[in-house]
Amino acid sequence: MINVTKTYLPNVEKYKSYVDKIFSSGWLTNNGHMVQELERRLSEYLGVKNLLLVSNGTLALQIAYKILDLRGDVLTTPFTFVATTSSLVWEGLTPVFVDIDPNTFNMDPEKIAGKITKNTSAIVPVHVFGNACEVERIQETANEYNLKVIYDAAHAFGVKYKDQSIANYGDIATFSFHSTKVFHTIEGGALVIKDDDLFKRAKLKINFGIPGPDMVTDLGINCKMNEFQAAMGLCVLEDMDLILSHRKKIYKKYCGAFQGNSHIKLQKINSEASQNYSYFPVVLDSESVLLNVRYALNKEDIFPRRYFYPSLEELPYVQENQPAHVSNDISKRILCLPIYENLEEDMQDKIIEIVREASRGTEQI
Ligand SMILES: *Cc1c(COP(=O)(O)O)cnc(C)c1O
């Protein structure tokens, strides 16, 4: 069975050697040596300061909203994984959707200003499928209206914009290190926080607001990463070059196979940014074509995913009447094809062939 992604597993002996260290130290969680080591190595790898590891990417977003003390309405994109929006609602904030650009699939910067009111406190864009947002234009708008910017960079691990980490843009950027992501710690996530004081506050918040023995100084919660997660991260990080080079090869092959195909539209990538080849989305002519393509793949035991469907303005717990026509249309027609480090060439050839055939539409079925 071929899925949209397959978790990268490092050499098991290497992982065991880390586990042995955890057992001999007896220190399993609470800012242990491996968490500290991974924070150091990730900061270096990404080229960021103030990186804080947490237990998952959803809590990373929630901590970001909390420490920035967001209120009222938050502008965000309807075309993303549900956690971007659900985390806002969970924190008592009101998501206000800004429609996306039909080519980049990111929040359309042209449409941001029109949605800002006196109740707006922040913008939460997503670098969808690792494609960098127009970060400079978004920052200009944010500055003009005095809004915070939090990037959900869950897909954008290692991506650079103009030669620096994409996580250096915005007040805070968050990552997810879930097993389905390009770099993972089983479950996990991180915040990259521009302001030093906010970074200190975040550190407190993720551990119940406890700065030391016999003290509670802040309202906190528990979202600490543990040593076993960090050990996985240390192993995977060592193999990152290999992972990215294999993914790049697969990504480029898909591009070559589909470019110029009038029935298959590809994502337009930000020309100032690098890529991490984490997803391969294709937009088809209609939802019925998409269902045919999926059916044809499923018959061969290949399971692409409808990332992202449904468009989030349709969620039952957001304010009604927020039409997002572009997102709604794209979400009905977009399919992410299998891409992962060891997807075999023959299998990819087969996927390409099936998608080409089935995407031609009515003449097929
Ligand atoms: C995966 C993902 C998240 C949530 O991360 P978890 O680590 O699974 O909690 C948030 N936003 C986006 C865009 C994601 O893809």
Side-chain angles (χ1 to χ4, degrees), residues 7 33 41 141 152-153 156-157 245-246 260-261 263 310 349:
T7 298
H33 294 298
R41 292 229 206 135
T141 309
D152 181 344
F157 183 82
S245 73
H246 286 195
N261 186 315
H263 298 292
D349 288 336

Side-chain angles (χ1 to χ4, degrees), residues 56-58 61 80-81 83-84 126 152 154-155 176-178 181 188 279:
N56 62 60
T58 307
L61 285 166
T80 173
F81 182 59
T84 317
V126 180
D152 181 344
H155 300 173
S176 164
F177 302 149
H178 185 259
K181 306 299 204 269
Y279 299 85

Side-chain angles (χ1 to χ4, degrees), residues 55-61 79-85 87 126-129 152-155 174-181 186-189 279 308:
S55 49
N56 62 60
T58 307
L59 282 162
L61 285 166
F79 188 72
T80 173
F81 182 59
V82 66
T84 317
T85 286
S87 57
V126 180
H127 306 295
V128 174
F129 305 133
D152 181 344
H155 300 173
T174 65
F175 288 113
S176 164
F177 302 149
H178 185 259
S179 326
T180 51
K181 306 299 204 269
I186 310 171
E187 292 264 6
Y279 299 85
F308 292 99

Side-chain angles (χ1 to χ4, degrees), residues 47 80 88 109 271:
T80 173
L88 287 166
S271 59

Side-chain angles (χ1 to χ4, degrees), residues 75-268:
L75 306 188
T76 187
T77 169
F79 188 72
T80 173
F81 182 59
V82 66
T84 317
T85 286
S86 62
S87 57
L88 287 166
V89 177
W90 195 269
E91 290 296 329
L93 298 158
T94 304
V96 172
F97 295 112
V98 177
D99 208 351
I100 59 168
D101 178 296
N103 300 307
T104 66
F105 315 150
N106 285 331
M107 183 187 277
D108 186 342
E110 293 279 346
K111 294 182 179 156
I112 296 175
K115 295 276 179 178
I116 296 171
T117 69
K118 60 179 192 332
N119 294 324
T120 312
S121 63
I123 312 173
V124 179
V126 180
H127 306 295
V128 174
F129 305 133
N131 189 24
C133 289
E134 290 184 53
V135 287
E136 282 154 345
R137 286 184 64 190
I138 291 173
Q139 194 59 54
E140 275 168 30
T141 309
N143 292 347
E144 193 179 335
Y145 294 93
N146 199 18
L147 303 175
K148 303 290 183 199
V149 183
I150 301 106
Y151 282 104
D152 181 344
H155 300 173
F157 183 82
V159 170
K160 293 196 164 169
Y161 179 86
K162 292 189 174 171
D163 286 328
Q164 67 161 310
S165 173
I166 195 69
N168 285 333
Y169 293 87
D171 296 281
I172 298 176
T174 65
F175 288 113
S176 164
F177 302 149
H178 185 259
S179 326
T180 51
K181 306 299 204 269
V182 70
F183 165 79
H184 79 95
T185 60
I186 310 171
E187 292 264 6
L191 296 102
V192 175
I193 303 172
K194 191 160 281 166
D195 181 84
D196 296 337
D197 290 332
L198 280 180
F199 178 59
K200 284 186 200 130
R201 194 184 307 168
K203 274 191 156 171
L204 262 180
K205 289 237 178 258
I206 69 164
N207 186 31
F208 311 101
I210 298 176
D214 308 330
M215 279 190 290
V216 183
T217 58
D218 228 74
L219 172 66
I221 193 157
N222 176 12
C223 44
K224 302 183 298 292
M225 180 176 278
N226 70 49
E227 292 292 273
F228 295 88
Q229 291 170 292
M232 181 60 81
L234 288 167
C235 292
V236 176
L237 190 60
E238 278 183 39
D239 297 341
M240 220 44 224
D241 288 348
L242 177 96
I243 295 170
L244 291 178
S245 73
H246 286 195
R247 279 176 167 275
K248 180 175 180 177
K249 205 173 135 218
I250 294 163
Y251 185 97
K252 293 287 178 196
K253 182 166 177 159
Y254 275 138
C255 285
F258 297 135
Q259 236 146 28
N261 186 315
S262 61
H263 298 292
I264 299 170
K265 192 177 123 178
L266 306 182
Q267 185 178 27
K268 184 183 169 206

Side-chain angles (χ1 to χ4, degrees), residues 294-344:
R294 183 171 70 172
Y295 178 74
L297 289 166
N298 287 173
K299 269 200 311 199
E300 299 294 324
D301 242 10
I302 301 163
F303 295 89
R305 285 292 295 268
R306 296 187 74 177
Y307 291 148
F308 292 99
Y309 178 85
S311 185
L312 299 183
E313 81 280 4
E314 296 192 340
L315 286 173
Y317 50 78
V318 300
Q319 278 183 0
E320 286 175 41
N321 292 323
Q322 297 200 65
H325 298 299
V326 180
S327 172
N328 204 277
D329 170 48
I330 298 277
S331 71
K332 288 191 167 87
R333 299 191 285 130
I334 196 165
L335 201 58
C336 280
L337 302 181
I339 182 166
Y340 47 85
E341 181 266 330
N342 59 356
L343 179 67
E344 284 178 8

